[in-house]
Amino acid sequence: MAYLSKSLKSQEAITVKLSTTARHEEVAESLLQYGVRIKVLAMDRPGVVKIGVTAPAGLTPTKQEGLIVSTRRDVGHLGLTRSLHEEIVVTLRAGGSAGDVLDWLATDGLALSVAVIRERQVVINVTAHDDLLVLRDELCPQ
């Protein structure tokens, strides 16, 4: 598993991309089973939120400078409000094309940007391939 913990301000982002040495079959299986997990770790300073990203081996989360914009037709955007210690889980959708998702992760990557920081909540925008399922952790099947 790969892990990144970063403090972000509004309009800053993290991307999760496929490593060039990754074993595609293993990444696809881990993405289906465990997914990428995004957790709100701290909101100690005004205007700053600490986000933790855990990704399967072969996927690398990194802090991204500037806004991330995708014009691809097979990509969607979702904004989710999360409080301290709450998570977002991104997994391969049942019946989704692992090959298409891995190709997309190699080029564009999963984008997680901070849209709004409130007193006790943050809105995280997720830009993901249509074959990925983006859920609040409490809605994930156990």
Side-chain angles (χ1 to χ4, degrees), residues 24-44:
H24 288 211
E25 298 81 19
E26 291 175 11
V27 173
E29 182 63 32
S30 292
L31 198 52
L32 182 62
Q33 257 188 322
Y34 308 110
V36 175
R37 301 185 81 83
I38 302 102
K39 186 172 186 174
V40 178
L41 299 174
M43 300 178 78
D44 298 335

Side-chain angles (χ1 to χ4, degrees), residues 2-58:
Y3 183 76
L4 176 71
S5 171
K6 285 289 181 186
S7 292
L8 301 174
K9 296 176 184 172
S10 185
Q11 307 305 314
E12 292 185 328
I14 293 173
T15 57
V16 180
K17 288 194 168 187
L18 183 68
S19 166
T20 55
T21 59
R23 294 184 175 181
H24 288 211
E25 298 81 19
E26 291 175 11
V27 173
E29 182 63 32
S30 292
L31 198 52
L32 182 62
Q33 257 188 322
Y34 308 110
V36 175
R37 301 185 81 83
I38 302 102
K39 186 172 186 174
V40 178
L41 299 174
M43 300 178 78
D44 298 335
R45 296 180 290 160
V48 179
V49 61
K50 189 169 189 176
I51 303 287
V53 179
T54 305

Side-chain angles (χ1 to χ4, degrees), residues 66-139:
L67 292 176
I68 300 165
V69 178
S70 178
T71 57
R72 291 178 53 150
R73 292 179 185 258
D74 57 354
V75 173
H77 309 277
L78 178 65
L80 291 172
T81 301
R82 301 280 67 200
S83 296
L84 189 61
H85 304 302
E86 292 183 333
E87 293 187 19
I88 297 169
V89 180
V90 181
T91 61
L92 186 61
R93 185 183 303 276
S97 170
D100 288 351
V101 168
L102 292 175
D103 288 345
W104 174 78
L105 284 169
T107 56
D108 294 50
L110 176 68
L112 315 162
S113 61
V114 174
V116 178
I117 301 172
R118 298 188 187 113
E119 189 174 317
R120 291 186 294 264
Q121 293 182 322
V122 59
V123 178
I124 299 173
N125 286 338
V126 181
T127 303
H129 191 278
D130 289 343
D131 285 336
L132 289 172
L133 182 62
V134 180
L135 291 173
R136 297 188 322 254
D137 181 53
E138 60 269 22
L139 297 179

